[in-house]
């Protein structure tokens, strides 16, 4: 995390946008958690002897309104925070190129051109993902987790404890995968630098390549580097592909526990039918922050 301190000054010109974007994150989550609560009120209201179609219609309109307002807030947070990360990427790339222009000739004599090209392209894009989507989803995960967990405890503390049992395993699993993904991504970046250097050298020295009839040799060399780049990417895909199903497995186990024990709680009269439905929806909502946590850590 210490490396991220270097990027903090780039947020200063866009501080108001950051604050507004994070405010939209909070508002979006408030409307998101309001939906299941309104559904709970509507279901419980069906058992009221004085229930009317007008009352149920009011709940329905409130649910639609919460969804629309929550969607608008999500659009606002994405527009501000993701747009801000694009501006930071532009500023960072400009500063990077300006810095290159100030370096002396000895630096370029000992540094591969492909390494510099990789820094200016892939690496800068990776920084953008860390300054925009990663921050947005990190805050979104924290707020969503607190609000959802608070409402789950309010409905049934006992059922909340049972639902969280499978999810206790998630943090160590997330960080284990994050370490492996980081290592493999580093190898991909290294190979991309080698590949870029090879292309740059051949393009600038094409006359020499043709003069010595090295086209086939260089094409064979490029094919080997390109295949190695593909193999390293496939290694990352295999790990990332296993990551999300494992998260889904633990979240699915939590839902099974809620369906089984929650139904027993409802039958015993300790929670209402509306509480049971809302609790299941909150468990589903809680799954996304835990999955997003892994994605943020990987970024």
């Amino acid at each position: 995390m210490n490396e991220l301190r270097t990027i903090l000054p780039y947020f200063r010109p866009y501080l108001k946008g950051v604050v507004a974007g994070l405010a939209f994150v909070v508002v979006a989550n408030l409307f998101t958690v309001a939906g299941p609560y309104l559904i709970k009120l509507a279901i419980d209201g069906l058992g009221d002897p004085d229930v009317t179609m007008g009352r149920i219609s009011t709940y329905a309109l409130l649910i639609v309104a919460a969804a629309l307002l929550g969607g608008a807030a999500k659009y606002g947070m994405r527009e501000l925070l993701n747009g801000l990360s694009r501006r930071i990427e532009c500023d960072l790339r400009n500063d990077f190129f300006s810095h290159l222009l100030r370096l002396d000739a000895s630096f370029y004599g000992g540094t591969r051109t492909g390494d510099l090209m990789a820094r200016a392209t892939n690496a800068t894009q990776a920084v953008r993902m860390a300054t925009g989507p990663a921050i947005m989803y990190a805050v979104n995960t924290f707020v969503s987790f607190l609000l959802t967990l608070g409402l789950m405890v309010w409905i049934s503390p006992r059922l909340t404890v049972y639902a969280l049992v499978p999810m206790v395993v998630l943090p160590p699993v997330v960080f284990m995968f994050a370490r492996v993904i980081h290592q493999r991504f580093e190898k991909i970046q290294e190979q991309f630098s080698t590949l870029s250097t090879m292309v740059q050298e051949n393009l600038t020295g094409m006359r020499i390549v043709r003069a010595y009839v090295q086209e086939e040799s260089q094409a064979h060399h490029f094919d080997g580097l390109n295949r190695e780049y593909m193999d390293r990417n496939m290694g990352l895909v295999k790990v990332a592909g296993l990551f999300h199903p494992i998260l889904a497995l633990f979240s699915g186990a939590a839902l099974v526990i809620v369906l089984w024990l929650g139904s027993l709680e409802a039958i015993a009269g300790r929670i209402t039918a509306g509480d049971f439905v809302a609790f299941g929806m909150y468990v589903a909502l809680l799954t996304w922050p835990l999955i997003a946590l892994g994605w943020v850590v990987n970024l």
Side-chain angles (χ1 to χ4, degrees):
M1 296 300 291
N2 290 333
E3 291 83 354
L4 293 179
R5 293 178 183 175
T6 310
I7 204 68
L8 291 179
Y10 287 88
F11 284 95
R12 195 168 293 117
Y14 312 108
L15 193 57
K16 291 182 180 179
V18 173
V19 174
L22 296 181
F24 274 123
V25 172
V26 176
V27 172
N29 278 284
L30 287 173
F31 283 115
T32 299
V33 298
Y37 180 75
L38 291 170
I39 292 175
K40 160 194 154 45
L41 294 178
I43 293 175
D44 289 341
L46 293 174
D48 192 334
D50 300 329
V51 65
T52 62
M53 283 301 299
R55 184 176 171 186
I56 299 301
S57 298
T58 300
Y59 286 133
L61 290 174
L62 288 174
I63 292 170
V64 172
L68 291 175
L69 293 173
K74 287 180 180 179
Y75 172 79
M77 75 178 191
R78 291 174 184 272
E79 176 71 19
L80 286 170
L81 296 178
N82 287 343
L84 178 147
S85 70
R86 292 288 183 181
R87 294 181 176 87
I88 290 177
E89 178 189 13
C90 180
D91 295 341
L92 183 62
R93 190 174 282 119
N94 284 335
D95 288 349
F96 176 71
F97 188 73
S98 298
H99 181 67
L100 291 179
L101 295 178
R102 293 193 298 269
L103 295 173
D104 54 29
S106 61
F107 170 80
Y108 294 98
T111 306
R112 299 187 307 173
T113 303
D115 289 341
L116 300 178
M117 293 172 63
R119 300 289 192 280
T121 53
N122 277 18
T124 310
Q125 291 176 11
V127 173
R128 177 187 64 80
M129 292 295 291
T131 58
I135 290 177
M136 179 181 71
Y137 283 114
V139 176
N140 184 71
T141 297
F142 178 74
V143 175
S144 177
F145 185 83
L146 285 182
L147 292 175
T148 303
L149 187 63
L151 287 167
M152 288 170 61
V153 172
W154 176 68
I155 292 175
S156 174
R158 179 181 177 185
L159 196 56
T160 301
V161 173
Y162 291 141
L164 290 178
V165 168
M167 297 185 180
V168 173
V169 188
L170 282 179
V173 171
V174 165
F175 286 104
M176 180 192 70
F177 271 93
R179 185 169 59 252
V180 175
I181 287 174
H182 175 73
Q183 292 171 351
R184 297 199 177 192
F185 183 76
E186 286 287 297
K187 292 181 179 179
I188 289 172
Q189 288 291 86
E190 179 184 347
Q191 185 64 17
F192 181 77
S193 297
T194 303
L195 190 65
S196 300
T197 298
M198 194 268 180
V199 172
Q200 184 270 336
E201 290 175 347
N202 273 266
L203 291 177
T204 55
M206 186 56 67
R207 291 182 179 179
I208 298 176
V209 171
R210 292 204 167 191
Y212 287 91
V213 196
Q214 293 297 306
E215 295 93 339
E216 185 176 346
S217 173
Q218 292 300 306
H220 181 72
H221 181 47
F222 179 81
D223 182 61
L225 294 176
N226 197 26
R227 287 185 178 276
E228 176 65 21
Y229 182 66
M230 181 192 71
D231 291 340
R232 293 188 182 189
N233 273 283
M234 291 303 298
L236 178 60
V237 167
K238 289 177 182 177
V239 175
L242 182 63
F243 180 54
H244 291 287
I246 287 179
L247 294 180
L249 175 65
F250 287 111
S251 62
L255 283 172
V256 170
I257 291 175
V258 169
L259 287 174
W260 176 254
L261 298 179
S263 61
L264 295 179
E265 293 281 294
I267 291 171
R270 286 187 285 268
I271 61 174
T272 66
D275 289 334
F276 175 63
V277 173
F279 195 92
M281 297 180 71
Y282 284 132
V283 171
L285 287 178
L286 194 64
T287 302
W288 166 244
L290 294 172
I291 293 176
L293 173 64
W295 190 66
V296 167
V297 170
N298 293 336
L299 285 179

